[in-house]
């Protein structure tokens, strides 16, 4: 009322400001709400896909568990990636079977000769495309690189020794 008594143009300006400020805050809240809903929906899709793959791999692994230990060996993983249902499940979660074999080989080398089904599924779901790299992933890659580099260094040292031996025989 004080503003109306003083100046009508000022009242119009204040009214426009209050309406625009309210609409801006409302639009920001709608944007936040939409973002939360899309993240929850994405997480739900991810969970449903993971559960479906878990069930499908459970059936495949039970059928291929030749030694009936309830654990998975490297040989069983090699057989798993030849089963059509397993390949479809891997494709559904965007995991390359070749990558699964490579990582399983290193994983089993580190953990022992066999792994539990839960460890296997954690490994499979960790290999999905589109995931962000974690510190654990970087550590694993560094460890794998160091191991491969150590083997290469041994081979080069052996080759160097053989070449030195050949040069000494010629002299």
């Amino acid at each position: 009322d004080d503003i109306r008594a003083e100046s009508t143009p000022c009242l119009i300006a204040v009214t426009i400001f209050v309406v625009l400020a309210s609409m801006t805050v409302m639009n920001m809240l709608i944007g936040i709400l939409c973002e939360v809903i899309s993240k929850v929906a994405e997480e739900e899709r991810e969970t449903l896909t993971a559960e479906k793959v878990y069930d499908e791999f459970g059936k495949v692994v039970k059928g291929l568990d030749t030694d009936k230990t309830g654990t998975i060996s490297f040989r069983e993983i090699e057989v798993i990636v030849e089963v059509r249902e397993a390949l479809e499940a891997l494709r559904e979660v965007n995991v390359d079977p070749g990558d699964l074999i490579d990582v399983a080989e290193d994983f089993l080398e580190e953990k022992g000769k066999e792994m539990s089904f839960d460890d296997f599924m954690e490994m499979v779901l960790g290999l999905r495309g589109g995931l962000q790299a974690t510190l654990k992933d970087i550590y694993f890659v560094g460890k794998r690189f160091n191991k491969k580099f150590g083997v290469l260094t041994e081979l080069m040292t052996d080759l160097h020794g053989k070449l030195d031996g050949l040069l000494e025989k010629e002299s």
Side-chain angles (χ1 to χ4, degrees):
D1 287 334
D2 292 340
I3 297 174
R4 187 176 357 155
E6 286 291 321
S7 168
T8 304
C10 188
L11 174 67
I12 293 171
V14 168
T15 304
I16 290 173
F17 174 78
V18 169
V19 168
L20 288 177
S22 297
M23 292 194 62
T24 302
V25 170
M26 184 177 64
N27 282 333
M28 286 176 27
L29 291 174
I30 289 171
I32 291 170
L33 184 62
C34 289
E35 187 67 26
V36 167
I37 289 172
S38 68
K39 290 290 182 185
V40 168
E42 182 180 325
E43 188 68 32
E44 280 297 313
R45 275 192 301 276
E46 193 73 27
T47 302
L48 288 173
T49 302
E51 287 175 2
K52 182 178 178 186
V53 170
Y54 194 90
D55 291 341
E56 288 178 19
F57 266 109
K59 293 173 191 170
V60 171
V61 168
K62 282 181 184 174
L64 296 175
D65 190 12
T66 55
D67 53 4
K68 303 297 180 203
T69 59
T71 58
I72 301 169
S73 67
F74 184 70
R75 178 67 194 124
E76 290 170 338
I77 291 174
E78 288 179 321
V79 173
I80 286 173
V81 297
E82 295 172 1
V83 175
R84 185 180 56 81
E85 291 86 10
L87 288 174
E88 288 174 10
L90 287 173
R91 194 173 306 113
E92 195 168 313
V93 289
N94 198 18
V95 173
D96 181 39
D99 291 343
L100 176 63
I101 295 291
D102 289 343
V103 172
E105 184 177 11
D106 289 338
F107 189 85
L108 287 170
E109 224 173 76
E110 184 178 299
K111 298 271 184 174
K113 301 279 186 211
E114 296 188 344
M115 70 174 96
S116 69
F117 180 68
D118 289 336
D119 287 342
F120 173 73
M121 285 310 301
E122 182 181 330
M123 182 185 68
V124 168
L125 294 174
L127 290 173
R128 290 175 293 174
L131 295 179
Q132 290 184 348
T134 63
L135 184 59
K136 178 182 171 186
D137 297 328
I138 293 170
Y139 173 75
F140 187 69
V141 168
K143 192 172 179 181
R144 186 173 182 194
F145 177 78
N146 285 338
K147 190 184 309 176
K148 300 286 184 182
F149 190 72
V151 170
L152 183 61
T153 303
E154 288 177 25
L155 290 172
M156 294 297 289
T157 303
D158 186 44
L159 182 61
H160 185 68
K162 288 179 181 179
L163 287 174
D164 285 345
L166 287 174
L167 288 174
E168 287 177 11
K169 286 182 182 179
E170 283 187 14
S171 301

